[in-house]
mmCIF file with all atom_site columns, all heavy atoms in Angstrom:
data_model
loop_
_atom_site.group_PDB
_atom_site.id
_atom_site.type_symbol
_atom_site.label_atom_id
_atom_site.label_alt_id
_atom_site.label_comp_id
_atom_site.label_asym_id
_atom_site.label_entity_id
_atom_site.label_seq_id
_atom_site.pdbx_PDB_ins_code
_atom_site.Cartn_x
_atom_site.Cartn_y
_atom_site.Cartn_z
_atom_site.occupancy
_atom_site.B_iso_or_equiv
_atom_site.pdbx_formal_charge
_atom_site.auth_seq_id
_atom_site.auth_comp_id
_atom_site.auth_asym_id
_atom_site.auth_atom_id
_atom_site.pdbx_PDB_model_num
ATOM 1  N N   . ASN A 1 204 ? -2.624 -5.473 0.293  1.00 95.00 ? 219 ASN A N   1
ATOM 2  C CA  . ASN A 1 204 ? -2.629 -4.014 0.319  1.00 95.00 ? 219 ASN A CA  1
ATOM 3  C C   . ASN A 1 204 ? -2.807 -3.424 -1.073 1.00 95.00 ? 219 ASN A C   1
ATOM 4  O O   . ASN A 1 204 ? -3.418 -2.364 -1.236 1.00 95.00 ? 219 ASN A O   1
ATOM 5  C CB  . ASN A 1 204 ? -1.310 -3.497 0.915  1.00 95.00 ? 219 ASN A CB  1
ATOM 6  C CG  . ASN A 1 204 ? -1.479 -2.991 2.330  1.00 95.00 ? 219 ASN A CG  1
ATOM 7  O OD1 . ASN A 1 204 ? -2.254 -2.085 2.583  1.00 95.00 ? 219 ASN A OD1 1
ATOM 8  N ND2 . ASN A 1 204 ? -0.759 -3.598 3.247  1.00 95.00 ? 219 ASN A ND2 1
ATOM 9  N N   . ASP A 1 275 ? -6.452 1.421  1.682  1.00 92.00 ? 290 ASP A N   1
ATOM 10 C CA  . ASP A 1 275 ? -6.624 2.766  1.154  1.00 92.00 ? 290 ASP A CA  1
ATOM 11 C C   . ASP A 1 275 ? -6.658 2.713  -0.372 1.00 92.00 ? 290 ASP A C   1
ATOM 12 O O   . ASP A 1 275 ? -5.769 2.143  -1.000 1.00 92.00 ? 290 ASP A O   1
ATOM 13 C CB  . ASP A 1 275 ? -5.445 3.650  1.615  1.00 92.00 ? 290 ASP A CB  1
ATOM 14 C CG  . ASP A 1 275 ? -5.688 5.130  1.383  1.00 92.00 ? 290 ASP A CG  1
ATOM 15 O OD1 . ASP A 1 275 ? -6.037 5.485  0.240  1.00 92.00 ? 290 ASP A OD1 1
ATOM 16 O OD2 . ASP A 1 275 ? -5.520 5.918  2.335  1.00 92.00 ? 290 ASP A OD2 1
ATOM 17 N N   . PRO A 1 276 ? -7.704 3.298  -1.002 1.00 90.00 ? 291 PRO A N   1
ATOM 18 C CA  . PRO A 1 276 ? -7.773 3.252  -2.469 1.00 90.00 ? 291 PRO A CA  1
ATOM 19 C C   . PRO A 1 276 ? -6.648 4.002  -3.155 1.00 90.00 ? 291 PRO A C   1
ATOM 20 O O   . PRO A 1 276 ? -6.422 3.820  -4.353 1.00 90.00 ? 291 PRO A O   1
ATOM 21 C CB  . PRO A 1 276 ? -9.133 3.899  -2.779 1.00 90.00 ? 291 PRO A CB  1
ATOM 22 C CG  . PRO A 1 276 ? -9.450 4.729  -1.574 1.00 90.00 ? 291 PRO A CG  1
ATOM 23 C CD  . PRO A 1 276 ? -8.855 4.006  -0.414 1.00 90.00 ? 291 PRO A CD  1
ATOM 24 N N   . ASP A 1 277 ? -5.917 4.856  -2.415 1.00 91.00 ? 292 ASP A N   1
ATOM 25 C CA  . ASP A 1 277 ? -4.792 5.586  -2.995 1.00 91.00 ? 292 ASP A CA  1
ATOM 26 C C   . ASP A 1 277 ? -3.475 4.836  -2.878 1.00 91.00 ? 292 ASP A C   1
ATOM 27 O O   . ASP A 1 277 ? -2.422 5.384  -3.212 1.00 91.00 ? 292 ASP A O   1
ATOM 28 C CB  . ASP A 1 277 ? -4.652 6.973  -2.345 1.00 91.00 ? 292 ASP A CB  1
ATOM 29 C CG  . ASP A 1 277 ? -5.711 7.945  -2.844 1.00 91.00 ? 292 ASP A CG  1
ATOM 30 O OD1 . ASP A 1 277 ? -6.130 7.814  -4.008 1.00 91.00 ? 292 ASP A OD1 1
ATOM 31 O OD2 . ASP A 1 277 ? -6.133 8.820  -2.077 1.00 91.00 ? 292 ASP A OD2 1
ATOM 32 N N   . ASN A 1 278 ? -3.514 3.587  -2.404 1.00 93.00 ? 293 ASN A N   1
ATOM 33 C CA  . ASN A 1 278 ? -2.288 2.791  -2.424 1.00 93.00 ? 293 ASN A CA  1
ATOM 34 C C   . ASN A 1 278 ? -1.814 2.685  -3.871 1.00 93.00 ? 293 ASN A C   1
ATOM 35 O O   . ASN A 1 278 ? -2.518 2.155  -4.738 1.00 93.00 ? 293 ASN A O   1
ATOM 36 C CB  . ASN A 1 278 ? -2.538 1.390  -1.864 1.00 93.00 ? 293 ASN A CB  1
ATOM 37 C CG  . ASN A 1 278 ? -2.550 1.370  -0.353 1.00 93.00 ? 293 ASN A CG  1
ATOM 38 O OD1 . ASN A 1 278 ? -2.219 2.366  0.297  1.00 93.00 ? 293 ASN A OD1 1
ATOM 39 N ND2 . ASN A 1 278 ? -2.942 0.253  0.233  1.00 93.00 ? 293 ASN A ND2 1
ATOM 40 N N   . GLY A 1 279 ? -0.666 3.197  -4.153 1.00 92.00 ? 294 GLY A N   1
ATOM 41 C CA  . GLY A 1 279 ? -0.149 3.230  -5.518 1.00 92.00 ? 294 GLY A CA  1
ATOM 42 C C   . GLY A 1 279 ? 1.223  3.869  -5.498 1.00 92.00 ? 294 GLY A C   1
ATOM 43 O O   . GLY A 1 279 ? 1.900  3.853  -4.472 1.00 92.00 ? 294 GLY A O   1
ATOM 44 N N   . HIS A 1 738 ? -0.949 9.009  4.759  1.00 97.00 ? 753 HIS A N   1
ATOM 45 C CA  . HIS A 1 738 ? -0.656 8.261  3.533  1.00 97.00 ? 753 HIS A CA  1
ATOM 46 C C   . HIS A 1 738 ? 0.219  9.131  2.639  1.00 97.00 ? 753 HIS A C   1
ATOM 47 O O   . HIS A 1 738 ? 0.067  10.349 2.622  1.00 97.00 ? 753 HIS A O   1
ATOM 48 C CB  . HIS A 1 738 ? -1.974 7.938  2.816  1.00 97.00 ? 753 HIS A CB  1
ATOM 49 C CG  . HIS A 1 738 ? -1.856 6.894  1.753  1.00 97.00 ? 753 HIS A CG  1
ATOM 50 N ND1 . HIS A 1 738 ? -1.487 7.192  0.464  1.00 97.00 ? 753 HIS A ND1 1
ATOM 51 C CD2 . HIS A 1 738 ? -2.076 5.558  1.782  1.00 97.00 ? 753 HIS A CD2 1
ATOM 52 C CE1 . HIS A 1 738 ? -1.489 6.081  -0.259 1.00 97.00 ? 753 HIS A CE1 1
ATOM 53 N NE2 . HIS A 1 738 ? -1.840 5.074  0.523  1.00 97.00 ? 753 HIS A NE2 1
#
Side-chain angles (χ1 to χ4, degrees):
N219 255 301
D290 193 308
D292 285 329
N293 280 351
H753 195 274

